[in-house]
Amino acid sequence: MSGGILECRNLTMRFGGLVAVDRFDETLVEGELLGLIGPNGAGKTTVFNMITGVYQPSSGDIFYRGGSIIGLKPHRITAGGIARTFQNIRLFDDLSVLDNVRLACHHRVSYGILDAVFRRYKFHEGEKEILRRSTELLELMELSSRSKDLAKNLPYGEQRRLEIARALATGPSLLMLDEPAAGMNPQEKEDLSELVGRIRKNLDLTVLLIEHDMAFVMGLCERIVVLDYGKIICRGTPKEVRTDPKVIRAYLGGSVDA
Amino acid sequence: MSFGDIFSYNFVVYHLISVGIFAMLALSLNLINGYAGMFSLGHQAFWAVGAYGAGAVIVHFPFQAPGVVVFGSSLLAGIGLAALAGFVIGVPCLRLRGDYLAIATLGFAEIVRILLNNFDWVGGSRGLAIPRVLIEKTPATEVWFYLFFLVFTVAMTGLTVLVCRNLIHSSHGRAIVSIREDEVASELIGVNVTYYKVVAFLIGAAFAGLAGAIHANFFGIISPKDFGIMPGILILLMVVLGGMGSMSGTLLATVILYFVQQILKLKLFGLPSTIASAIGWPPLMRLADTMETLAVDRWQVFFAILLILLMISAPQGFFGKREIWDTAAYKKLAGLFRSGGRGSGSAAGEGKT
Ligand SMILES: Nc1ncnc2c1ncn2[C@@H]1O[C@H](COP(=O)(O)OP(=O)(O)OP(=O)(O)O)[C@@H](O)[C@H]1O
Ligand SMILES: [Mg+2]
């Protein structure tokens, strides 16, 4: 199979006796926005962790732009163009909002350690470029006025946005969002939905989105994959998924055998 | 040692140089413990390697050469060998966190000390006497000897501050700091965590090596016991008290702790017994005597207790991760001065970030 920006082949993750993800098979086409949903503990975050190199899959393969990324260190995968946010916000709490974003620009820093120590021309140029990019992203995520605040002092919704800004600063082609709307009120969710749609268009991103909120996913995604107990139990358009009996059963808490 | 001696030129300069050496040690440890967040207990090993590297080069210099050349080579050897040691210890410690890293680095430092104790070509447990290669230390030249080392040490301390500051306020420095904040997040936003851990260890060790090389050249005698756990704890205490991740805090704590230590070692300048014998009441004289003896023999205990208390009750030290000029109290103070028509004090500090 070709044409996919990301291909997961029989991706499996075992934790001891538990099969958290069981033969996950899915291809993301460039530019699409795919929703990954499922009840608690279904294995959604585990899929993210395997793709970003946090976990080594027990078996299976992951191809990004045609090449396998299994065994690569997370920072290499990020540099390759896959960025993510975290379900439990993982900002650098004691650093400023600006520094959080600047850090994500680091992997393509244009100057070396000695350039920094001797404050050479290259350092100043490189810092200017990093600052320009970061400022731009903070503006995009409507966080400019917060740039000097410590990340931990931001309200919850802004922290979520900062996570996205930081992920974008790595310059990804594939953006993976892990429950970005969790804990937000309906108005914030609506704004976020609009924002995700906008950055995706403006930055030509492929997006993989985990979300519990059905309405949020249904409104945003063209295609949805449903996980339950590590297995894909259904995939299709929002409409198809919503009316699928297996999905309904999974969300109502009944046991499902796919 | 009488009270008047503390105002003599030799005495003052001697201690200023010592403070400078400790400042370099504390600042470089701050890079590892404070900024990179790797709790190392082995900094004394890099200091030792620097001192012994420099000493060995001088003692075993292979040919006749001008003093400047020998002196310069000894510095380079100290820095280079310590950096190498930093690399050697940094790499295996990469996978270790927290307590495990602390124990491993402490073990490494003890190994270095024990090895030095047994290497006869650097004097073994007897220590190593290092000839003065640049300026003789005779009664006639002593003034110049002290002056040179004062200027040189101050310059090198300044260099350490500058390098640390320039590094930290750059993308590479931010990468180092992000490891302390959240290693996993750091790796996932594209920071090569492994690389920057080694970099922090290597640069920290190199500056400790420079401090060691100056130490060897200035004191002229070194022995393995100078680089044991207790001096290591003293350096650590300077960083912890000042605030891990605060250069100005570390410098302030270095000055304070160094002089507290010296005052204890110098029997509190003999003041208690002087006062007690002036009063002339025997129990008071005995008490003064005990105090002085405790100060000399047990100052390490006070410092170890202070370290434990600090780690439990105030692990953020004076300034936490901030610089003095970033604290609320300083800004208030600066604001007072500014409104009084004085120049802005904090502008320089804020410009750095
Ligand atoms: N490091 C780990 N060690 C052991 N078990 C784990 C680990 N990580 C995840 N699991 C288990 O794997 C299963 C899937 O977890 P995962 O976090 O992927 O679920 P999720 O779909 O993201 O759920 P949620 O909606 O609650 O976030 C769970 O049963 C979880 O307990
Ligand atoms: Mg999850």
Side-chain angles (χ1 to χ4, degrees):
Chain A
M1 198 160 38
S2 69
I5 181 169
L6 184 84
E7 295 172 35
C8 299
R9 297 273 180 76
N10 287 318
L11 213 48
T12 301
M13 186 79 226
R14 288 189 203 89
F15 295 111
L18 174 82
V19 185
V21 175
D22 193 5
R23 284 164 291 163
F24 183 85
D25 219 56
E26 186 54 59
T27 300
L28 265 90
V29 179
E30 187 125 28
E32 85 169 317
L33 200 164
L34 178 70
L36 183 59
I37 66 171
N40 279 0
K44 308 178 294 292
T45 300
T46 305
V47 171
F48 270 32
N49 282 336
M50 286 189 285
I51 296 173
T52 49
V54 179
Y55 294 159
Q56 289 303 308
S58 311
S59 62
D61 216 337
I62 306 169
F63 296 96
Y64 175 70
R65 295 194 182 287
S68 174
I69 55 170
I70 297 283
L72 287 187
K73 297 252 241 136
H75 74 91
R76 289 237 161 263
I77 295 175
T78 306
I82 300 180
R84 72 176 283 185
T85 63
F86 300 88
Q87 181 173 353
N88 317 307
I89 300 175
R90 271 191 109 135
L91 292 167
F92 302 114
D93 278 343
D94 282 340
L95 302 186
S96 71
V97 167
L98 177 64
D99 277 348
N100 266 273
V101 179
R102 284 202 287 193
L103 261 165
C105 302
H106 172 73
H107 71 90
R108 7 185 206 192
V109 65
S110 58
Y111 61 88
I113 292 176
L114 288 181
D115 295 323
V117 166
F118 294 114
R119 285 294 189 256
R120 291 204 190 110
Y121 178 72
K122 263 172 113 179
F123 161 81
H124 295 288
E125 286 299 292
E127 278 297 296
K128 233 186 271 168
E129 174 58 20
I130 289 174
L131 189 63
R132 192 190 60 75
R133 268 184 66 81
S134 308
T135 317
E136 215 174 86
L137 281 166
L138 286 177
E139 231 151 75
L140 181 71
M141 299 308 288
E142 291 156 23
L143 287 167
S144 303
S145 60
R146 293 299 207 162
S147 118
K148 281 189 172 163
D149 295 343
L150 296 187
K152 67 177 172 198
N153 294 338
L154 294 191
Y156 190 78
E158 290 187 349
Q159 291 196 354
R160 286 252 174 240
R161 288 216 302 274
L162 178 54
E163 273 232 326
I164 299 177
R166 191 178 65 173
L168 290 176
T170 65
S173 332
L174 172 61
L175 178 65
M176 312 208 306
L177 304 171
D178 197 344
E179 304 198 17
M184 287 185 169
N185 64 35
Q187 180 58 47
E188 285 175 320
K189 280 185 185 176
E190 203 172 298
D191 292 347
L192 181 70
S193 171
E194 187 268 332
L195 192 69
V196 172
R198 186 152 46 95
I199 54 176
R200 174 189 167 211
K201 270 218 191 72
N202 290 354
L203 304 173
D204 281 328
L205 295 177
T206 310
V207 180
L208 180 56
L209 175 84
I210 295 179
E211 190 48 65
H212 266 304
D213 187 315
M214 281 294 205
F216 187 87
V217 190
M218 300 290 170
L220 203 55
C221 305
E222 291 103 44
R223 210 158 65 81
I224 290 173
V225 171
V226 189
L227 268 185
D228 191 29
Y229 290 106
K231 292 195 175 75
I232 295 179
I233 55 167
C234 175
R235 54 182 118 210
T237 62
K239 213 160 131 205
E240 287 162 356
V241 166
R242 193 162 32 195
T243 51
D244 190 291
K246 279 183 293 207
V247 177
I248 293 167
R249 237 182 303 152
Y251 268 88
L252 290 178
S255 74
V256 176
D257 243 7
Chain B
M1 159 92 214
S2 83
F3 192 67
D5 288 346
I6 50 180
F7 301 108
S8 75
Y9 169 81
N10 285 4
F11 186 86
V12 170
V13 174
Y14 175 96
H15 286 291
L16 285 179
I17 293 168
S18 301
V19 170
I21 291 171
F22 271 104
M24 294 168 70
L25 290 167
L27 284 167
S28 54
L29 179 64
N30 190 23
L31 204 60
I32 301 170
N33 284 32
Y35 288 112
M38 298 185 286
F39 203 86
S40 165
L41 287 176
H43 213 52
Q44 63 274 26
F46 306 135
W47 179 20
V49 170
Y52 269 92
V57 161
I58 293 174
V59 173
H60 299 291
F61 208 74
F63 49 86
Q64 205 59 37
V68 192
V69 174
V70 183
F71 180 71
S73 321
S74 77
L75 291 186
L76 290 179
I79 296 168
L81 285 173
L84 187 69
F87 183 76
V88 168
I89 181 69
V91 169
C93 284
L94 286 174
R95 291 182 188 288
L96 303 177
R97 307 252 158 88
D99 311 349
Y100 298 102
L101 179 81
I103 290 166
T105 47
L106 182 63
F108 165 76
E110 280 301 282
I111 291 171
V112 166
R113 197 177 58 82
I114 290 163
L115 283 178
L116 289 174
N117 238 329
N118 290 288
F119 282 156
D120 255 350
W121 53 279
V122 286
S125 59
R126 282 168 289 115
L128 183 64
I130 299 142
R132 302 350 181 129
V133 287
L134 215 50
I135 303 171
E136 288 291 322
K137 197 184 167 206
T138 62
T141 57
E142 210 172 39
V143 176
W144 301 109
F145 174 84
Y146 278 121
L147 186 64
F148 167 76
F149 274 101
L150 179 65
V151 172
F152 189 70
T153 309
V154 168
M156 288 302 115
T157 308
L159 181 76
T160 312
V161 171
L162 196 71
V163 169
C164 287
R165 174 195 164 277
N166 285 0
L167 176 68
I168 289 306
H169 294 291
S170 80
S171 199
H172 300 282
R174 288 192 293 266
I176 288 174
V177 169
S178 75
I179 299 174
R180 168 188 80 196
E181 295 294 314
D182 183 340
E183 198 174 320
V184 175
S186 175
E187 175 86 27
L188 279 166
I189 57 161
V191 172
N192 188 344
V193 167
T194 312
Y195 173 78
Y196 282 102
K197 279 183 170 180
V198 175
V199 164
F201 251 108
L202 205 128
I203 298 178
F207 278 99
L210 174 60
I214 297 174
H215 177 113
N217 274 288
F218 175 65
F219 293 106
I221 174 111
I222 51 178
S223 105
K225 69 175 188 319
D226 299 342
F227 310 102
I229 296 175
M230 278 322 299
I233 286 188
L234 181 59
I235 306 168
L236 182 67
L237 195 51
M238 289 162 173
V239 176
V240 174
L241 181 66
M244 291 199 268
S246 170
M247 290 200 319
S248 44
T250 297
L251 283 174
L252 183 66
T254 301
V255 173
I256 293 174
L257 286 176
Y258 178 81
F259 285 109
V260 168
Q261 180 220 21
Q262 288 306 319
I263 290 168
L264 289 175
K265 271 182 160 177
L266 295 174
K267 292 192 170 186
L268 312 165
F269 299 135
L271 279 182
S273 53
T274 313
I275 295 168
S277 52
I279 296 169
W281 188 40
L284 199 62
M285 284 158 80
R286 272 200 299 279
L287 179 70
D289 214 50
T290 315
M291 265 172 74
E292 289 179 7
T293 319
L294 272 180
V296 180
D297 295 345
R298 299 282 176 263
W299 63 269
Q300 290 104 327
V301 179
F302 296 132
F303 278 57
I305 292 171
L306 182 58
L307 180 64
I308 293 168
L309 289 180
L310 264 179
M311 295 306 293
I312 294 171
S313 59
Q316 72 285 0
F318 288 153
F319 302 111
K321 300 167 182 172
R322 293 171 306 176
E323 298 300 338
I324 293 176
W325 44 86
D326 293 328
T327 57
Y330 181 90
K331 281 179 180 162
K332 218 174 204 167
L333 211 67
L336 278 180
F337 277 116
R338 215 172 300 148
S339 59
R342 299 271 299 266
S344 109
S346 67
E350 278 161 8
K352 284 175 193 165
T353 50

